[in-house]
Amino acid sequence: MFENAASRVVFILLLFLNVSLLNGQSPPEKPKLVKCRSPGKETFTCWWEPGTDGGLPTNYKLTYHQEGETLIHECPDYKTGGPNSCYFSKKHTSIWKMYVITVNAINQMGISSSDPLYVDVTYIVEPEPPANLTLELKHPEDRKPYLWIKWSPPTMTDVKSGWFIIQYEIRLKPEKATDWETHFTPKQTQLKIFNLYPGQKYLVQIRSKPDHGYWSEWSPESSIQIPNDFPVKDTSMWIFVAILSAVICLIMVWAVALKGYSMVTCILPPVPGPKIKGFDVHLLEISQPSRLVSMF
């Protein structure tokens, strides 16, 4: 009798399953963990992409445990990070420890779980873009004018404690240009740009990256108009070229002079003195022709 009852239950379940499949209902599709990101090693957030819901209301549950532990925890905050996310506050964040994270999709037809994601908070740091980007044209006396770019470190990244070594990438271009000019600066929060095109409106953006982690998003574009009378020639370069040219000319003149002296010496060599033993050259210079004849 028990076997008959069990057979009936199985039959009813199979019938229900067939009806559900005919109605387009099925277990949810396997979700996918997209990424986890920490703005500064103190908190982090993970996001996932849901699959199809199988035609039924589907709930998602993120679970995690630290490597080596057996106790399974559920996501502490599903709201702060936005839809399909889990936010880990300072209370739930530990560095130098591996998190094993999984997302489960659940509806009346069954459960589907994502592949596990292994996360070390130390290596998922992606800071916010640098803040307070400012642009200013400077005209110092007796020096070439320049564009002074200044900014502040990402607000949620603690650079004062020494946990991070932040590097920055700055890019700029004339408004109608297609290619960006890029500059890298480690640690510094300012940059001087020379050789700008007068009359152009320049667009500037900046992003940051820690020693371990990923580049931030680009900051919103800031712009500045370069005046038409903005000088662009680098006078120091021309002074260097002029001095170098003068030195080269002096070397060439000196070489030609030495070469010319050698040529004259070869063409018109000095007249050799007499080779007769006992002959007095001075006597030849002061003696009269009659005396020379009498000597012979």
Side-chain angles (χ1 to χ4, degrees), residues 120-133:
D120 185 335
V121 178
T122 307
Y123 296 98
I124 60 168
V125 176
E126 182 183 315
E128 300 293 329
N132 304 321
L133 178 61

Side-chain angles (χ1 to χ4, degrees), residues 15 64 147:
L15 181 62
Y64 71 95
L147 171 61

Side-chain angles (χ1 to χ4, degrees), residues 165-209:
I165 298 176
I166 298 290
Q167 60 179 317
Y168 301 95
E169 182 181 8
I170 302 93
R171 66 181 187 181
L172 71 156
K173 68 171 184 175
E175 186 176 27
K176 296 181 180 180
T178 56
D179 297 328
W180 293 88
E181 175 186 336
T182 59
H183 301 268
F184 293 92
T185 61
K187 300 182 181 180
Q188 298 179 0
T189 56
Q190 58 180 312
L191 180 68
K192 296 177 182 179
I193 301 294
F194 298 88
N195 300 325
L196 300 170
Y197 293 105
Q200 294 286 334
K201 180 180 180 181
Y202 273 81
L203 305 179
V204 182
Q205 288 182 296
I206 185 171
R207 63 178 181 172
S208 58
K209 178 183 179 298

Side-chain angles (χ1 to χ4, degrees), residues 33 35-37 44-48 62 84-86 88 101:
L33 275 163
K35 66 180 291 188
C36 294
R37 169 185 173 270
F44 72 102
T45 306
C46 294
W47 291 267
W48 68 84
L62 184 144
N84 304 321
S85 72
C86 176
F88 294 79
I101 301 172

Side-chain angles (χ1 to χ4, degrees), residues 246-260:
V247 171
I248 293 174
C249 289
L250 289 174
I251 293 173
M252 293 178 64
V253 169
W254 179 70
V256 169
L258 288 179
K259 188 175 181 181

Side-chain angles (χ1 to χ4, degrees), residues 273-285:
K275 302 296 182 179
I276 303 174
K277 186 176 181 181
F279 189 82
D280 190 348
V281 178
H282 297 286
L283 182 61
L284 179 63
E285 293 176 353

